[in-house]
Amino acid sequence: MGGIEGVRGEARPAVRRVSHVGEIAGKDLIGLKCVTPMTGRVIPVFPAGFVNPDVGTGLVTSCPSDAPDDWNSLAEAKANPDLEKVYGIPRDVIDSVNPISIISIKGYGDFPAEDIIEKLGIPKVSDPEKKRQLLDEAKKQVYKDGYHMGVMREAAGDLAGVRVEKAKDICQQRMLDSGEAEIFRDLTMEVVCRCGRRVHIKRIDDQWFINYADRKLTEATKENAKKMTIFPKMYYENVQNVLDWYRERACVRLGNWLGTKFPYDKKWTIEPISDSTLYPVYYTISLYANSKQITPEQMKPEFFDYVILEKGDAAAVSASTGISAGLLDKIRKDVQYWYPLDINLGGKEHMTVHFPVFLLNHRAVLPDKMQPRGILVNWYVTGKNKDKISKSKGGAQPIPGAVAKYGADSMRLYYANVASMDSDVEWDEDIVFTYRQRLESIMSSVEDLIGQEADVPSGDIDAWLISRFNTHLAEIREAMDRYDLRAMTTVVYYDMANDMRWYARRSGRNKDTVRKALRIWINAMMPVTPHVAEELWSEAGFEGLASEAQLPEADSSMRDASAEYGEGLIQEVISDINEIRKMAKTEVKKAYVYTTPAWKVSVLKDAISMAENKELTIPALTKKCMADENLRKMGKSVSEFAKKTAVDLMRSNPEDRKALAGLDEESLLKSAVGFIAAETGMETEVFGADEENKYDPSGKARVAVPGRPAIYLE
């Protein structure tokens, strides 16, 4: 199948065997003298509180000129009377220790550590915790500046003038070559075993690694990742950096592990992460092994080369493996059908563990046409304490028990709707129950619709519902293309549910409309709540299974922007009347609604036309309005409305306003006046702003604009 370059551990610098000579307490070293590597300088051993004996050797060579912790500790040590009284270090030795300037950093003086300490005011801080935070901040800043901008000073001998980032590697190699240093491997942070004890690194001779540091492989993998669909966006960008620093990874482990023995050395077992990232391609083959149509012994390298890489001849591979040529071709077709995989879904902990190996292995082994197309990273389900819920950390709810308590579909809807792709989900039992109640409400609504449908003529409300559902179909598909389950479920379980309730409130009962809408709605529920969907599918009398039905494409010919906008306007008028009544200080019994005057609609239409032709500006629209003799008579009112309309349109899509401009608000609201009165519980009258004998004691009609009728309550 091709492969990835392997690296054996013995190719690395040999490590001398370590002998256990004895033990000594750290405090017994204080006051002694030691010789520094490379320079041979004799220096005393002082105590320092910031040194962690569990890190490395537990000893640190001090560099007070450029390390804030070292500068601070040297000052504290010199002021500590215990150095003389307890440790017996002579005062002249203490006083003779002074920093040596070895790095020049732009923006700093001879002693960068002193500069940053003074700048942050650390000597004046008495709170130990705050002081520790400031020292950490100081160290981070100086180390960063020193590494990227620092140059070695004259005190560094033949390294004077060399950039710090280069000098660091030179010094390391010189000490390794001279035998003054060894490679010491340690973890970047404390790692605790499940047994509760600290984990240490054990170096094993003759170890095997996969060389992921190969630059040619890295660059090819990075280019591949740029072409992929990777969510969230943050990881799409970060994975490039992850691949850059990815290096050798152990591909085998010692011990009695389950797994495949390493073919080059049988005492090793293949490390799961090194080969498991190619398992999706094996899934296309595994069914033939599980059904015993082929055996493990027959799956030789030439078998994989033929069925996956399309290398070799069927007759020759058949003769070598004992698998018939017909079966070989059938397996090859299965691989070609299922690959490349569309998406690899995994938790955020895999962003630097599993996914980089997945990408690198696929790029190294498989051809261009079989490279993966996507990665989707999901965050955690956490408990109340924000800890990840897992079997090892506790808090895990066994699936059978959770399903019995909450219902499988309730849990699925909860996870899908409450989660964002790049944020953790906090498990909340009360919220899970609200999703269960929502599903029960939806099921009840569907059953009511089925029971009330009748052979009545279709009307405007039917056109509205079919239009809305085709709009939702487009929204659902767009959300699914982005893998945005929250947006998708909001449309299906909230927006569509609200539309169905509104249709029923508006006395919609047309049988064909109800069935068309239910077919779309139930079908859309299938991915998230399959059990509910199948039950409703059956109750509605549709043939087959919901899971077998294809979600229809949005039909643009069935979408009616004016119908959707009109019903939305009725909803807003009802809502506005109710809100105004809440704010009224006296009891109100009647509502008057005034629709916009014709001249404002005319101005809006002109503005839309100009926007579509890329000609819309405030002066241009005002000039056009003033050229109309009838509009010019109204002077300031027209110019102010033209300015507001132009600004609104320049900030929005003119296409969205076409439905508004083409809507006959007066006819629409007058036809719905009975419904508005029933919904608000008060007598309602609708007037056009241009009507001559309208009742308008407060002059409300003059403030009505397209899409925002004026309302007066008395």
Side-chain angles (χ1 to χ4, degrees):
M1 284 180 66
I4 299 174
E5 178 187 355
V7 181
R8 296 188 73 171
E10 56 202 11
R12 298 183 171 203
V15 172
R16 294 178 177 81
R17 295 295 176 183
V18 177
S19 299
H20 183 223
V21 176
E23 296 180 6
I24 186 171
K27 62 182 177 62
D28 294 337
L29 296 174
I30 297 173
L32 301 180
K33 293 184 178 180
C34 59
V35 179
T36 62
M38 291 186 67
T39 64
R41 185 185 299 273
V42 177
I43 57 175
V45 178
F46 281 4
F50 73 90
V51 180
N52 185 349
D54 288 333
V55 176
T57 62
L59 300 172
V60 175
T61 302
S62 180
C63 183
S65 69
D66 307 284
D69 267 322
D70 294 29
W71 182 280
N72 182 68
S73 293
L74 177 59
E76 290 180 346
K78 284 189 170 188
N80 185 358
D82 285 351
L83 257 64
E84 288 183 87
K85 296 178 181 178
V86 178
Y87 300 109
I89 304 176
R91 172 48 59 180
D92 61 329
V93 172
I94 297 173
D95 293 339
S96 69
V97 177
N98 292 298
I100 300 173
S101 180
I102 60 171
I103 298 176
S104 173
I105 308 174
K106 186 177 180 180
Y108 293 86
D110 289 342
F111 301 111
E114 180 185 28
D115 291 347
I116 194 72
I117 282 176
E118 291 298 326
K119 180 180 178 181
L120 296 179
I122 293 175
K124 300 177 183 178
V125 178
S126 57
D127 179 18
E129 185 175 342
K130 178 65 175 177
K131 191 169 189 176
R132 179 70 265 158
Q133 291 175 351
L134 289 173
L135 282 169
D136 288 341
E137 182 182 336
K139 179 172 69 173
K140 182 178 179 181
Q141 186 61 50
V142 170
Y143 281 15
K144 177 183 175 182
D145 293 342
Y147 185 78
H148 292 291
M149 300 188 297
V151 177
M152 303 304 293
R153 290 182 180 273
E154 292 73 13
D158 65 337
L159 293 179
V162 178
R163 292 180 64 84
V164 168
E165 57 182 320
K166 185 177 180 181
K168 179 181 177 182
D169 294 333
I170 294 173
C171 290
Q172 175 180 298
Q173 193 58 50
R174 284 183 180 179
M175 287 190 288
L176 288 172
D177 293 343
S178 67
E180 293 179 292
E182 295 284 4
I183 296 292
F184 190 97
R185 304 195 182 279
D186 206 353
L187 299 163
T188 55
M189 63 180 68
E190 184 177 0
V191 178
V192 179
C193 170
R194 287 189 179 185
C195 67
R197 303 188 67 180
R198 185 182 172 198
V199 174
H200 298 271
I201 290 178
K202 178 181 180 181
R203 191 190 190 286
I204 303 172
D205 291 334
D206 201 26
Q207 173 68 286
W208 290 80
F209 301 83
I210 294 179
N211 184 23
Y212 291 123
D214 180 88
R215 289 313 304 172
K216 185 177 179 181
L217 172 61
T218 299
E219 292 304 321
T221 306
K222 288 170 64 179
E223 286 303 310
N224 243 40
K226 290 176 183 176
K227 303 171 189 174
M228 293 172 63
T229 299
I230 300 178
F231 289 109
K233 183 181 178 182
M234 169 271 293
Y235 187 55
Y236 175 82
E237 297 166 350
N238 287 356
V239 74
Q240 298 290 319
N241 295 327
V242 175
L243 290 168
D244 266 332
W245 61 252
Y246 226 73
R247 296 191 59 80
E248 299 87 350
R249 287 292 185 272
C251 60
V252 291
R253 57 168 68 176
L254 288 173
N256 297 319
W257 302 96
L258 290 175
T260 305
K261 290 300 178 183
F262 191 54
Y264 302 107
D265 191 339
K266 297 293 185 180
K267 72 175 179 285
W268 295 95
T269 302
I270 293 177
E271 170 65 46
I273 194 67
S274 67
D275 72 338
S276 69
T277 49
L278 275 172
Y279 61 72
V281 75
Y282 179 69
Y283 281 162
T284 65
I285 299 168
S286 61
L287 66 99
Y288 296 99
N290 295 340
S291 61
K292 310 226 183 297
Q293 295 179 63
I294 57 176
T295 65
E297 292 73 24
Q298 291 176 309
M299 288 188 279
K300 299 178 179 180
E302 53 265 38
F303 163 77
F304 289 109
D305 284 347
Y306 183 77
V307 300
I308 294 178
L309 302 182
E310 302 180 19
K311 293 180 179 179
D313 175 73
V317 176
S318 177
S320 169
T321 62
I323 303 172
S324 70
L327 183 56
L328 285 169
D329 286 335
K330 187 173 187 299
I331 296 172
R332 178 193 271 193
K333 287 179 181 177
D334 269 7
V335 174
Q336 292 172 344
Y337 177 82
W338 290 107
Y339 243 69
L341 80 164
D342 293 304
I343 204 78
N344 187 342
L345 174 66
K348 64 181 178 181
E349 71 273 22
H350 292 311
M351 289 193 290
T352 56
V353 179
H354 176 96
F355 292 134
V357 179
F358 163 76
L359 293 170
L360 288 157
N361 282 359
H362 273 74
R363 180 65 276 175
V365 177
L366 301 184
D368 289 347
K369 68 178 184 180
M370 297 184 74
Q371 293 306 305
R373 292 176 177 168
I375 290 174
L376 181 63
V377 186
N378 61 269
W379 262 234
Y380 295 146
V381 177
T382 66
K384 289 290 186 182
N385 58 358
K386 299 296 183 183
D387 289 332
K388 175 186 175 184
I389 293 178
S390 64
K391 288 182 289 185
S392 62
K393 292 192 174 186
Q397 171 75 43
I399 291 297
V403 170
K405 187 173 184 179
Y406 310 109
D409 281 1
S410 303
M411 291 176 62
R412 290 167 65 96
L413 180 56
Y414 167 73
Y415 290 134
N417 188 251
V418 81
S420 288
M421 201 175 302
D422 54 354
S423 63
D424 294 334
V425 178
E426 182 178 299
W427 174 262
D428 190 314
E429 183 174 316
D430 294 336
I431 296 177
V432 179
F433 274 117
T434 66
Y435 281 98
R436 180 173 179 172
Q437 291 168 348
R438 171 152 289 274
L439 286 178
E440 290 170 353
S441 174
I442 287 173
M443 293 181 74
S444 177
S445 296
V446 172
E447 290 164 359
D448 289 343
L449 281 164
I450 294 171
Q452 294 174 11
E453 64 183 19
D455 292 321
V456 297
S458 63
D460 291 342
I461 193 63
D462 297 285
W464 170 81
L465 183 64
I466 297 303
S467 177
R468 285 287 291 170
F469 270 38
N470 276 276
T471 296
H472 291 324
L473 278 173
E475 294 169 342
I476 290 167
R477 287 188 172 276
E478 184 182 342
M480 292 299 279
D481 285 343
R482 301 192 312 268
Y483 299 96
D484 191 344
L485 289 179
R486 173 183 279 183
M488 177 266 191
T489 50
T490 297
V491 172
V492 176
Y493 297 91
Y494 292 87
D495 296 345
M496 296 177 87
N498 291 338
D499 287 346
M500 289 300 276
R501 279 195 290 271
W502 181 257
Y503 176 76
R505 283 166 64 185
R506 292 279 276 142
S507 302
R509 293 192 301 145
N510 180 269
K511 186 173 183 178
D512 288 341
T513 299
V514 171
R515 289 188 64 77
K516 284 178 184 177
L518 286 180
R519 190 175 191 90
I520 294 171
W521 192 21
I522 298 171
N523 218 179
M525 296 181 201
M526 184 64 218
V528 178
T529 55
H531 306 90
V532 167
E534 293 294 2
E535 185 172 339
L536 294 178
W537 189 265
S538 176
E539 285 191 31
F542 297 130
E543 294 183 1
L545 297 172
S547 54
E548 295 176 330
Q550 180 66 41
L551 182 70
E553 296 280 352
D555 186 347
S556 58
S557 68
M558 303 298 290
R559 295 174 70 175
D560 185 338
S562 292
E564 290 192 39
Y565 188 82
E567 285 301 312
L569 181 62
I570 293 171
Q571 292 174 351
E572 288 178 9
V573 167
I574 292 170
S575 176
D576 288 346
I577 290 174
N578 288 330
E579 284 299 315
I580 295 171
R581 179 167 54 184
K582 286 180 184 177
M583 294 186 291
K585 296 181 179 180
T586 60
E587 183 180 354
V588 292
K589 297 181 179 179
K590 191 169 183 178
Y592 297 91
V593 180
Y594 307 93
T595 61
T596 186
W599 71 265
K600 290 184 179 179
V601 176
S602 177
V603 172
L604 175 61
K605 287 180 177 179
D606 285 342
I608 291 172
S609 176
M610 294 175 73
E612 289 178 330
N613 295 322
K614 311 295 184 187
E615 299 171 350
L616 180 62
T617 64
I618 294 173
L621 180 59
T622 304
K623 182 178 179 181
K624 185 174 180 62
C625 291
M626 291 299 111
D628 185 315
E629 185 177 347
N630 293 324
L631 293 177
R632 190 167 59 248
K633 292 176 183 178
M634 290 179 279
K636 187 177 179 181
S637 297
V638 173
S639 62
E640 287 180 351
F641 182 71
K643 178 181 178 181
K644 183 179 184 305
T645 302
V647 170
D648 289 346
L649 266 179
M650 287 187 288
R651 293 175 177 172
S652 60
N653 184 356
E655 197 66 31
D656 296 337
R657 300 301 182 93
K658 279 188 174 181
L660 169 60
L663 183 67
D664 185 344
E665 293 182 14
E666 184 179 343
S667 297
L668 172 73
L669 294 178
K670 283 184 175 180
S671 68
V673 70
F675 176 71
I676 295 173
E679 289 290 308
T680 59
M682 68 173 71
E683 185 182 349
T684 303
E685 280 194 64
V686 175
F687 294 103
D690 296 326
E691 287 187 43
E692 292 184 3
N693 298 317
K694 59 182 176 293
Y695 178 74
D696 187 12
S698 296
K700 286 284 187 180
R702 69 175 182 274
V703 299
V705 297
R708 290 304 303 267
I711 297 171
Y712 172 68
L713 303 184
E714 71 174 13

